[in-house]
Amino acid sequence: MGQATQQPATHHANGHSHAHPTISPATYLLVLVALVIGTVVTVWTASMDLGAFNTPVALAIAIGKAALIILYFMHIRYSTWLTRTVVIGSFFFLIVLFGLTFADYFTREKTHEIPSLYSPDPILKQQ
Amino acid sequence: MIEENVSLPRIHYLNSHYGWKSWLFTTDHKRIGLLYMVSITLMFFLGGFFALLIRLELLTPQADMFTADTYNKFFTLHGVILIFFFLVPSIPATLGNFLIPLMIGAKDVAFPRLNLLSWYIFVIGSLFTLWVVAVGGIDTGWTFYTPYSTTFANTHVIAATLGVFFTGFSSILTGLNFIVTIHKMRAPGLTWFRLPLFIWSLYATSIIQVLATPVLGITMVLIAAERFAKVGIFDPALGGDPVLFQHMFWFYSHPAVYIMILPSLGVVSELISAFTWKRVFGYKFVAVSSLMIAIFSFIVWGHHMYVSSMSIYAGMLFSILSYLVAVPSAVKVFNWTATLYKGSVSYDTPMLYALGFIGLFTIGGLTGLFLASMGLDRHLHDTYFVIAHFHLIMVGGAVMGYFGGLHYWWPKMFGRMYPEWWGRLSALIVFVGFNLSFFPQFIIGYLGMPRRYHVYAPEFQVLNVMSTAGSSILGVGYLLPLVYFIWSLRYGKVASNPWRAKGLEWETTSPPPPENFLEQPIVTEEAYNYPTRPAQPGKQTGKLTGGLNPPASPTATATGTGREAEVV
């Protein structure tokens, strides 16, 4: 995986030059096969009860598939560091969205264990 | 007026092409900026009209003018129109579009046709919303909270969310265009730490626009899907969670506050520098603080959700994180204040708006700390205290910055000055009207009057009357510039750089030629490299000058920039 040939640089009017790699059909096919396998694994794990690992496993497979699409179909593997930084930055903020939202979901049950907040009569309960 | 014998350039972007097609199919960033300006001005006065209706109803404790349903629709339209169709695009899409290429020495933005497309998308979104207004409105509040918006509301939720969805795309395209333009099209010698602070702030804003707005788009689509197809994302009866909606909505909408305020912070940095005739104190800190605000804005959304049944532990986390935003915000305010110190301050209209901004932004920011604190928020949540707080930031901050910037760059945009006396009067009226409108709301909120109610306890009436009186004054303050700006287009005194300000945008003619610069500018100095202002007989600095800026030194020529005078 990852075969790419560099075509001659294209010179633009502004003097900069960019290399436009051509990714071989074999690479695309391999990525496609990997994505199909990933989808099968997603469906397979969805039918299993992994307990607390249900969500992490589903997320891990999804991240793997997304990474393949971004790296190869979106050509990020062959892009400049500026473009890569943008993608990494976007992922960082996606992790912020997921991470802080999960901070709520994973601790919500614990909140209900605080008697003074959620008992019918908190003052009496404390006494 | 300091400039004499200034004449308009023969060819400029306004007269280089004629006819409606030359405007509707233009790819000139300056014309697109003006198209945005006209569009958002219409939305500003429409949203403002709904605000006045709301305040009129609240003159008395009873429901005298509208039913509860009508009132709900009015405050929803007020919020939706002013947030999504005025505040978010206000400075970036108008002043940003007009000024970014000029301030970085470029001919245009990186993707001119994409720029025009973003305006068309904005117009389509606006038309959807205007259609909603025409056919009966929407009553969910601008936050579209579920389950009301997905299950119970009988108004035009889908059309309104579609309008917001479209506008989101416009915002993303503008942000993307600006990021690429600032990265790739700076003039030779214009390094990152020579960039004007307005450009830094728009760069940070663009990052938020590109990263946060897609989440809003997805959330709006999910609301429509939930209403149409009952997919069960937000409805607990179908296995969904309404709190998830709030997480997704506020992941955009809290950073969106900074889409509104960051450009204003940039404008104020420009104004403070130009009207104190000084380099901004701690330039690098102010520049980097814009990026810090942008990053922190993404990790604080939970402070809107303390009473939403969110976990108390997550609330504690969000509460701690929320305080962090105060640090870069304070860096800016302290550094502006330090810039004012021993500056040669002139109190022209843009500066009055900037000074007003600093006061209101400081109060708005500090009251934000009240609301970031979980314990206090339990008392203040969904009261008029919150209304007053966010209006101080979003109207006292964003709109003051927009108006200040509009007055400052008006001669650059049209080559003519507005009447300065009227400008100062409008700035003062806006400041007085604004404070009278919103300061009483802090008190009635603290005393317990909830938001979104059209009837209230009689003891709140006096403060509500004060607030309504203030909003009427504020309305006059906002209408005045509309009148004298239009007047100035024909009768205003010709001006090129009346402030003798520095910056690449002032190096070219006013109005600029179609391609901005006749020759590629080369930057050899840092931003705001002001020389010592020439001494003026009989005038002390720091006092009200009574005129525009101090007269140019005898060596200044009347060609426009006045930079000749600075080489002393």
Side-chain angles (χ1 to χ4, degrees):
Chain A
M1 203 178 284
Q3 297 167 355
T5 54
Q6 298 283 327
Q7 284 186 341
T10 310
H11 291 277
H12 292 282
N14 60 9
H16 297 296
S17 62
H18 303 290
H20 295 292
T22 307
I23 301 171
S24 66
T27 307
Y28 279 132
L29 266 177
L30 271 174
V31 175
L32 179 66
V33 170
L35 288 171
V36 171
I37 293 171
T39 308
V40 172
V41 174
T42 307
V43 176
W44 179 55
T45 50
S47 63
M48 297 163 62
D49 186 10
L50 302 172
F53 291 100
N54 273 332
T55 306
V57 167
L59 273 177
I61 299 167
I63 288 170
K65 287 194 289 186
L68 283 175
I69 292 168
I70 291 166
L71 285 172
Y72 291 96
F73 289 163
M74 291 172 69
H75 292 205
I76 296 302
R77 195 178 163 198
Y78 311 103
S79 300
T80 61
W81 265 108
L82 184 63
T83 314
R84 289 183 199 186
T85 308
V86 171
V87 174
I88 293 166
S90 308
F91 254 102
F92 171 75
F93 284 100
L94 192 65
I95 290 167
V96 168
L97 171 64
F98 281 28
L100 289 181
T101 304
F102 283 143
D104 167 26
Y105 282 91
F106 289 153
T107 55
R108 205 179 283 174
E109 287 302 314
K110 292 190 188 338
T111 301
H112 292 269
E113 291 165 10
I114 303 173
S116 61
L117 275 176
Y118 290 95
S119 60
D121 191 337
I123 297 168
L124 282 178
K125 183 100 177 180
Q126 280 175 350
Q127 286 170 348
Chain B
M1 188 78 66
I2 59 162
E3 291 183 305
E4 291 176 3
N5 305 321
V6 182
S7 56
L8 288 171
R10 198 170 59 82
I11 301 286
H12 49 79
Y13 79 101
L14 291 167
N15 68 5
S16 59
H17 297 91
Y18 285 104
W20 60 271
K21 280 186 183 171
S22 74
W23 283 91
L24 292 183
F25 298 113
T26 184
T27 51
D28 184 342
H29 67 99
K30 300 181 286 298
R31 286 188 166 207
I32 294 170
L34 295 192
L35 289 175
Y36 264 113
M37 193 169 78
V38 172
S39 321
I40 68 165
T41 302
L42 289 173
M43 299 307 264
F44 176 69
F45 284 104
L46 181 63
F49 174 69
F50 285 119
L52 285 176
L53 291 180
I54 294 167
R55 285 309 326 166
L56 271 179
E57 171 60 62
L58 293 174
L59 260 177
T60 59
Q62 303 84 28
D64 295 320
M65 289 176 66
F66 312 119
T67 61
D69 285 342
T70 310
Y71 184 80
N72 287 349
K73 286 175 183 172
F74 283 171
F75 75 68
T76 302
L77 289 169
H78 165 66
V80 169
I81 290 170
L82 284 181
I83 286 174
F84 295 111
F85 299 98
F86 174 72
L87 284 166
V88 167
S90 60
I91 297 180
T94 55
L95 297 178
N97 253 324
F98 194 95
L99 289 162
I100 284 182
L102 285 166
M103 291 175 98
I104 66 170
K107 286 182 179 175
D108 207 320
V109 290
F111 308 115
R113 273 178 282 190
L114 196 69
N115 203 15
L116 181 64
L117 177 68
S118 75
W119 179 70
Y120 274 105
I121 293 174
F122 175 80
V123 170
I124 292 169
S126 309
L127 290 177
F128 262 105
T129 307
L130 292 177
W131 182 77
V132 170
V133 175
V135 297
I138 171 178
D139 65 348
T140 59
W142 77 275
T143 52
F144 307 110
Y145 272 177
T146 55
Y148 185 71
S149 61
T150 50
T151 310
F152 302 106
N154 290 319
T155 48
H156 298 83
V157 177
I158 292 177
T161 51
L162 207 59
V164 172
F165 179 75
F166 269 106
T167 312
F169 270 102
S170 165
S171 184
I172 294 168
L173 294 182
T174 302
L176 188 72
N177 218 339
F178 286 177
I179 289 174
V180 179
T181 305
I182 294 167
H183 266 279
K184 295 289 184 187
M185 300 182 71
R186 300 193 307 275
L190 189 57
T191 57
W192 280 94
F193 283 115
R194 282 179 176 173
L195 281 176
L197 290 165
F198 182 55
I199 300 294
W200 271 101
S201 68
L202 283 176
Y203 182 72
T205 307
S206 302
I207 291 173
I208 302 176
Q209 285 177 305
V210 170
L211 289 175
T213 317
V215 180
L216 176 79
I218 292 164
T219 312
M220 294 297 116
V221 169
L222 287 175
I223 285 186
E226 191 89 340
R227 276 182 79 89
F228 256 137
K230 309 286 176 202
V231 287
I233 301 283
F234 304 127
D235 186 351
L238 301 168
D241 178 14
V243 180
L244 177 63
F245 171 82
Q246 294 198 31
H247 276 298
M248 295 176 75
F249 179 81
W250 287 113
F251 182 81
Y252 165 78
S253 293
H254 190 79
V257 173
Y258 295 95
I259 296 177
M260 302 166 206
I261 198 73
L262 263 170
S264 252
L265 299 170
V267 168
V268 171
S269 293
E270 299 294 322
L271 300 184
I272 293 288
S273 175
F275 292 94
T276 52
W277 200 256
K278 273 176 77 183
R279 182 178 188 270
V280 174
F281 180 82
Y283 163 90
K284 284 188 181 175
F285 282 93
V286 179
V288 174
S289 69
S290 291
L291 289 182
M292 289 297 104
I293 290 173
I295 292 168
F296 289 157
S297 73
F298 280 94
I299 54 176
V300 300
W301 78 84
H303 65 221
H304 296 265
M305 301 169 56
Y306 292 146
V307 297
S308 70
S309 85
M310 181 177 70
S311 147
I312 199 166
Y313 295 99
M316 286 158 65
L317 179 66
F318 279 117
S319 185
I320 293 163
L321 292 173
S322 297
Y323 285 110
L324 287 177
V325 184
V327 177
S329 307
V331 164
K332 286 192 189 290
V333 173
F334 289 138
N335 284 20
W336 292 329
T337 315
T339 310
L340 288 171
Y341 180 66
K342 287 193 175 177
S344 177
V345 184
S346 46
Y347 297 90
D348 300 317
T349 308
M351 186 60 165
L352 293 183
Y353 274 108
L355 293 174
F357 171 96
I358 294 176
L360 299 178
F361 177 69
T362 305
I363 300 171
L366 288 174
T367 49
L369 293 179
F370 288 44
L371 297 167
S373 155
M374 283 179 75
L376 263 176
D377 188 67
R378 296 232 160 211
H379 174 65
L380 298 171
H381 193 87
D382 270 349
T383 67
Y384 264 82
F385 190 93
V386 179
I387 303 282
H389 156 70
F390 74 70
H391 277 88
L392 254 89
I393 294 290
M394 287 152 63
V395 188
V399 181
M400 293 287 270
Y402 176 60
F403 272 61
L406 210 53
H407 283 84
Y408 177 57
W409 281 296
W410 191 260
K412 172 50 60 187
M413 296 164 103
F414 298 102
R416 290 182 184 274
M417 268 298 287
Y418 56 87
E420 178 62 19
W421 188 87
W422 284 99
R424 289 181 183 183
L425 182 70
S426 82
L428 292 174
I429 290 175
V430 165
F431 188 75
V432 170
F434 183 85
N435 280 296
L436 191 58
S437 293
F438 294 104
F439 202 81
Q441 294 186 11
F442 278 121
I443 303 168
I444 47 179
Y446 183 78
L447 293 174
M449 179 169 163
R451 66 194 284 197
R452 300 192 179 114
Y453 280 48
H454 75 319
V455 291
Y456 55 84
E459 61 260 36
F460 298 132
Q461 186 173 12
V462 173
L463 289 165
N464 269 304
V465 169
M466 286 169 70
S467 185
T468 301
S471 63
S472 311
I473 295 169
L474 190 58
V476 173
Y478 285 146
L479 274 170
L480 266 179
L482 182 72
V483 176
Y484 64 66
F485 275 149
I486 293 173
W487 177 90
S488 77
L489 293 177
R490 188 175 175 91
Y491 304 106
K493 203 162 186 175
V494 175
S496 183
N497 180 3
W499 327 114
R500 294 202 296 133
K502 299 210 55 151
L504 282 181
E505 81 271 27
W506 297 109
E507 296 276 354
T508 189
T509 55
S510 301
E515 293 199 332
N516 295 345
F517 299 94
L518 299 176
E519 289 176 17
Q520 166 78 68
I522 296 169
V523 180
T524 55
E525 58 181 22
E526 62 180 17
Y528 318 118
N529 193 19
Y530 284 102
T532 307
R533 183 172 280 203
Q536 299 161 72
K539 175 180 174 290
Q540 269 189 307
T541 56
K543 297 275 176 64
L544 196 64
T545 60
L548 276 175
N549 263 303
S553 77
T555 53
T557 65
T559 53
T561 66
R563 296 175 80 80
E564 298 85 352
E566 294 155 20
V567 189
V568 288

